[in-house]
């Protein structure tokens, strides 16, 4: 007889996350269950109940569902798990290649970041808009943010043929824009410029007037292991064959955030435009207004007339332009960002810049009202 777990319990959550990604990386268990000892206890119990098993190969350790667990989840909630636990899908029929398994582990990292940022991503938590029979009015801006995996998007079939090789993990719909979401792990991810340009164009066309008014603004968010990875991305020139990521024009904005508690906080901001506007107003209150004759992108000036830019969203395009502009015109500048972003930026920036930091702990308590 199958044991029915209550949705919302930690055991059910672990089974659920494993179903969504195919193989849940053991090193991410502490992000799902804070207590290491309790996490290991749950793993032991689920193994004893023959619901999960450990898979270790090529120095990658992860947890996979047994057939018994798949049957349990499908019987409890078929609309949630049908896409992931049936047919010849990458999450149901798992391939052994290292690259494919790493992709599954990165899915888990991405889902955990979305989970902690409070962004719905389960199929039955949102309207199915990536299908030929979508109905106008089934989704509106008030219901955003919502995340749709690349597999959900590609259910459209022929319409997505030209973007099937995109490295995107999926699409994050926010009230003010759409983000193509990527996970670069601990290294510079593979990148095909033309494919990502086609993804940008596809999203602009497909989401036009649904749910946005007119063509939506399309941005990119790259997630990764830590802020050292951000430095690798900022300094990447595309590799020997130009097959790796480099800051290009496929998207006007490339934001970066780590798959850590710090990155989760930043993601909460990136999908809440009203909160970002309030923060901008607060940060700019100590600065003078923008100077039209200043030939450098900036959001305000300090008491000495030096250009200042709000860079807490870690838009790599913006950071690069600001650094280049200061060097070209021989100017000093002020860069406003979160404290956890400063070490990376100090390594990367070559211009004369003074940092003004936002204390992340105080921000969480004072603005997000978190403990």
């Amino acid at each position: 007889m199958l044991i029915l777990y209550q949705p919302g319990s930690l055991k059910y959550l672990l089974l659920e996350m494993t179903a969504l990604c195919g193989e849940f990386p053991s090193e991410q268990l502490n992000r799902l269950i804070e207590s290491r000892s309790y996490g290991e206890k749950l793993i032991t119990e689920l193994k004893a109940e023959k619901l999960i098993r450990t898979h270790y190969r090529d120095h990658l350790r992860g947890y996979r569902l047994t057939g018994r667990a798949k049957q349990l989840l499908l019987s409890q909630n078929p609309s949630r798990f049908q896409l992931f636990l049936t047919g010849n899908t990458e999450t149901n029929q798992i391939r052994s290649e290292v690259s494919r398994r790493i992709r599954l582990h990165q899915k888990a990292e991405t889902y955990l970041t979305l989970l902690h940022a409070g962004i719905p991503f389960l199929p039955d938590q949102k309207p199915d808009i990536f299908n030929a029979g979508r109905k106008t009015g089934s989704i509106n801006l008030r219901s955003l943010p919502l995340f749709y995996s690349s597999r959900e998007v590609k259910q459209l079939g022929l319409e997505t043929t030209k973007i099937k090789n995109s490295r995107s993990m999926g699409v994050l719909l926010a009230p003010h824009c759409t983000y193509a979401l990527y996970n670069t792990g601990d290294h510079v991810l593979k990148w095909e410029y033309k494919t990502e340009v086609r993804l940008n164009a596809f999203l602009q066309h497909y989401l036009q007037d649904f749910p946005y008014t007119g063509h939506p603004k399309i941005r990119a968010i790259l997630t990764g292991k830590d802020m050292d990875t951000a430095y690798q991305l900022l300094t990447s020139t595309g590799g020997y064959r130009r097959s790796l990521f480099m800051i290009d024009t496929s998207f006007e904005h490339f934001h970066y955030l780590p798959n850590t508690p710090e990155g989760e906080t930043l993601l909460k901001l990136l999908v809440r435009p009203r909160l970002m506007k309030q923060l901008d107003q607060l940060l700019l209150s100590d600065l003078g207004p923008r100077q039209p004759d200043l030939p450098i992108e900036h959001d305000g000036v300090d008491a000495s007339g030096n250009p200042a830019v709000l860079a807490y969203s870690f838009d790599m395009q913006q950071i690069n332009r600001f650094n280049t502009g200061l060097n070209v015109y021989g100017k000093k500048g002020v860069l406003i960002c979160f404290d956890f972003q400063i070490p990376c930026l100090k390594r990367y920036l070559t211009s004369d810049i003074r940092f003004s930091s936002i204390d992340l702990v105080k921000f969480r308590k004072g603005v997000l009202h978190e403990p």
Side-chain angles (χ1 to χ4, degrees):
M1 179 178 177
L2 291 177
I3 302 170
L4 296 179
Y5 290 117
Q6 184 67 30
S9 68
L10 286 177
K11 276 190 177 179
Y12 186 89
L13 183 59
L14 179 55
L15 293 174
E16 181 178 71
M17 293 297 288
T18 306
L20 297 184
C21 62
E23 180 175 312
F24 189 88
S26 60
E27 63 180 19
Q28 293 292 309
L29 186 61
N30 67 320
R31 289 186 67 200
L32 187 65
I33 304 169
E34 288 187 17
S35 171
R36 188 179 190 88
S37 59
Y38 189 60
E40 292 174 353
K41 177 177 180 289
L42 293 188
I43 291 293
T44 301
E45 291 177 357
L46 287 170
K47 285 183 177 179
E49 293 158 4
K50 301 187 184 308
L51 294 176
I52 65 166
R53 59 187 177 87
T54 299
H55 185 84
Y56 180 75
R57 185 176 178 179
D58 299 314
H59 307 290
L60 287 177
R61 185 185 300 276
Y63 305 115
R64 295 182 179 181
L65 297 181
T66 63
R68 178 185 176 91
K70 293 177 183 179
Q71 183 183 347
L72 165 68
L73 294 174
L74 284 169
S75 65
Q76 280 192 279
N77 194 338
S79 62
R80 177 169 296 184
F81 298 109
Q82 189 86 20
L83 183 67
F84 306 97
L85 299 181
T86 59
N88 187 28
T89 63
E90 64 177 356
T91 51
N92 188 42
Q93 301 292 332
I94 303 172
R95 276 56 169 183
S96 60
E97 295 94 329
V98 174
S99 60
R100 289 179 179 269
R101 291 184 61 213
I102 289 176
R103 175 82 172 174
L104 298 182
H105 286 207
Q106 290 179 341
K107 283 179 181 289
E109 294 169 1
T110 301
Y111 287 133
L112 284 168
T113 297
L114 292 166
L115 176 69
H116 293 150
I119 298 171
F121 54 86
L122 295 168
D124 58 317
Q125 291 181 330
K126 63 205 178 189
D128 181 13
I129 66 170
F130 288 98
N131 69 76
R134 63 178 181 169
K135 296 179 180 179
T136 303
S138 63
I139 185 172
N140 58 65
L141 295 179
R142 290 191 299 275
S143 64
L144 305 181
L146 296 171
F147 176 77
Y148 292 84
S149 70
S150 58
R151 177 161 176 75
E152 289 175 293
V153 175
K154 291 171 184 176
Q155 286 184 110
L156 281 168
L158 292 176
E159 286 190 60
T160 60
T161 300
K162 293 183 178 180
I163 61 170
K164 67 178 182 178
N165 293 323
S166 169
R167 306 300 296 181
S168 171
M169 286 283 169
V171 179
L172 174 53
L173 276 61
H176 60 308
C177 71
T178 291
Y179 295 105
L181 189 61
Y182 301 83
N183 188 337
T184 188
D186 61 358
H187 58 279
V188 180
L189 80 166
K190 290 184 179 179
W191 192 258
E192 187 177 323
Y193 171 77
K194 291 182 179 179
T195 299
E196 305 309 335
V197 167
R198 287 195 288 267
L199 174 62
N200 189 329
F202 163 77
L203 292 174
Q204 287 193 47
H205 171 72
Y206 190 79
L207 298 174
Q208 180 182 4
D209 298 322
F210 195 97
Y212 304 97
T213 301
H215 290 288
K217 297 177 180 178
I218 310 296
R219 298 185 171 203
I221 293 178
L222 276 71
T223 70
K225 181 180 180 181
D226 49 34
M227 291 307 295
D228 287 337
T229 308
Y231 177 78
Q232 294 180 51
L233 297 174
L234 283 165
T235 56
S236 174
T237 56
Y240 174 65
R241 295 177 180 269
R242 296 294 178 95
S243 60
L244 301 178
F245 172 84
M246 60 183 295
I247 300 174
D248 57 31
T249 56
S250 51
F251 297 93
E252 288 187 17
H253 304 272
F254 284 100
H255 301 277
Y256 176 85
L257 57 91
N259 286 306
T260 62
E262 293 82 4
E264 293 159 8
T265 298
L266 180 53
L267 185 57
K268 291 177 184 178
L269 257 180
L270 290 175
V271 297
R272 297 167 70 179
R274 289 185 180 180
L275 185 58
M276 287 185 72
K277 185 176 181 180
Q278 292 172 5
L279 180 59
D280 289 352
Q281 292 173 342
L282 177 63
L283 295 172
L284 292 172
S285 62
D286 293 331
L287 296 173
R290 293 181 71 258
Q291 303 299 307
D293 58 339
L294 194 58
I296 298 173
E297 178 180 339
H298 65 291
D299 297 304
V301 294
D302 66 7
S304 300
N306 298 314
V309 66
L310 302 177
Y312 64 82
S313 69
F314 215 89
D315 180 352
M316 294 186 288
Q317 292 271 34
Q318 177 198 42
I319 292 167
N320 183 49
R321 289 194 302 268
F322 189 59
N323 184 55
T324 301
L326 293 177
N327 282 327
V328 168
Y329 292 100
K331 293 276 189 180
K332 296 181 180 181
V334 180
L335 193 144
I336 303 169
C337 61
F338 282 109
D339 47 12
F340 76 89
Q341 299 167 332
I342 290 179
C344 168
L345 291 170
K346 281 186 173 179
R347 288 179 63 194
Y348 170 70
L349 297 169
T350 56
S351 52
D352 189 349
I353 285 183
R354 175 175 65 84
F355 289 93
S356 178
S357 69
I358 307 168
D359 187 305
L360 185 67
V361 174
K362 291 182 179 178
F363 173 79
R364 285 173 175 160
K365 291 181 179 179
V367 179
L368 298 180
H369 307 295
E370 297 177 349

